Amino acid sequence: MKKVLLAGAVALFGLSNAQIAKGTVYLSGQVNYSSVDNRENNDAKTENLRIIPTAGFFVGNNVAVGLGVGYKQSTDKVTLTQFSGPYTLKTVGKYTEDAVVVAPFVRKYWTIADKLYVFGQLEVPMEFGNYKTEATRTFTDNVNNGVENQSVSTKTKYTSVGVNIKPGLDYFLNKNWSIEATIGEFGFNTYKLDVDGADNRNDYRFGLNLSSVTFGVKYVFAK
């Protein structure tokens, strides 16, 4: 037993020497796009785009601070067709959010092996954007071939602020390139439209699951 404990202590001491040095700088980021069609649910379509370049600086061994600044857009489009005798009413609704994203963070690394690290990241993501609603209604008289169109559009500013903790893994392919993955998210987010009487919409996220895994590539300016 003593030999096992001694071997474990030696291994841990050895791993602790593999550190990311103070003063190291890295560049990373997120580029995500998704598109989902749901024709069984009112011919709905959802698209999401997120581009967030990130820079980090190690203020101490295995401790980094950084900032992500970028853009996000999400669009939901729903088409609803209704029939009443010889008349047809088709409604197309489009709901778009686009925003500038600013996300300062601090990250702490712990060594698992010479090139493999586990990290915890605390970030404060903020969004400053617009929520736009567009709706078009087409009324068709199928007997007399008459068509009437109506459209409406509104645009409202919104802000969103959150506090998140993300665990992850970082594997260094060489001294300059690494692949990182975050697994799950623990945090809180509040969202509010800039209109009189609007309430905050609060969202809590707690989970470690494969559906929330994100991957990224990082370039390190090794010292």
Side-chain angles (χ1 to χ4, degrees):
M1 178 61 72
K2 290 182 179 180
K3 291 182 179 180
V4 173
L5 292 175
L6 179 60
V10 171
L12 288 174
F13 178 77
L15 293 178
S16 67
N17 288 331
Q19 297 184 350
I20 304 174
K22 176 181 178 180
T24 301
V25 177
Y26 72 83
L27 297 177
S28 183
Q30 302 176 22
V31 179
N32 299 324
Y33 173 78
S34 64
S35 178
V36 178
D37 288 303
N38 188 352
R39 300 192 179 279
E40 296 181 359
N41 183 20
N42 296 331
D43 197 14
K45 182 176 182 179
T46 299
E47 291 182 285
N48 291 290
L49 172 66
R50 189 177 181 88
I51 304 174
I52 314 291
T54 301
F57 176 77
F58 280 81
V59 295
N61 292 340
N62 284 0
V63 179
V65 297
L67 180 68
V69 178
Y71 172 79
K72 63 156 283 189
Q73 182 183 80
S74 60
T75 303
D76 291 299
K77 187 175 182 180
V78 179
T79 301
L80 177 62
T81 304
Q82 299 170 293
F83 301 94
S84 179
Y87 305 107
T88 302
L89 177 62
K90 182 178 180 180
T91 304
V92 179
K94 184 178 180 181
Y95 313 94
T96 305
E97 272 187 3
D98 62 272
V100 173
V101 180
V102 180
F105 66 87
V106 59
R107 179 182 288 194
K108 168 65 177 176
Y109 283 84
W110 291 271
T111 308
I112 296 179
D114 184 43
K115 296 182 179 181
L116 181 63
Y117 298 81
V118 63
F119 64 81
Q121 177 170 298
L122 172 65
E123 67 177 8
V124 183
M126 295 171 282
E127 297 179 12
F128 307 93
N130 299 292
Y131 178 75
K132 186 177 182 180
T133 300
E134 301 170 272
T136 301
R137 302 179 68 188
T138 302
F139 182 81
T140 304
D141 183 341
N142 299 309
V143 175
N144 300 309
N145 295 321
V147 178
E148 181 181 345
N149 293 310
Q150 297 178 338
S151 62
V152 63
S153 177
T154 62
K155 188 175 183 180
T156 307
K157 293 182 179 181
Y158 81 89
T159 56
S160 174
V161 180
V163 178
N164 299 324
I165 296 176
K166 295 182 178 182
L169 293 171
D170 202 342
Y171 180 75
F172 279 73
L173 301 173
N174 53 49
K175 69 177 184 178
N176 295 117
W177 291 98
S178 79
I179 298 175
E180 65 179 40
T182 59
I183 308 170
E185 188 174 56
F186 302 84
F188 165 82
N189 178 268
T190 182
Y191 175 105
K192 187 176 182 179
L193 291 171
D194 186 17
V195 294
D196 292 338
D199 294 326
N200 288 0
R201 188 182 73 196
N202 299 323
D203 179 28
Y204 299 87
R205 294 179 297 278
F206 299 95
L208 287 171
N209 56 72
L210 293 178
S211 64
S212 58
V213 174
T214 63
F215 293 92
V217 177
K218 183 160 75 270
Y219 182 81
V220 180
F221 295 88
K223 297 184 68 177

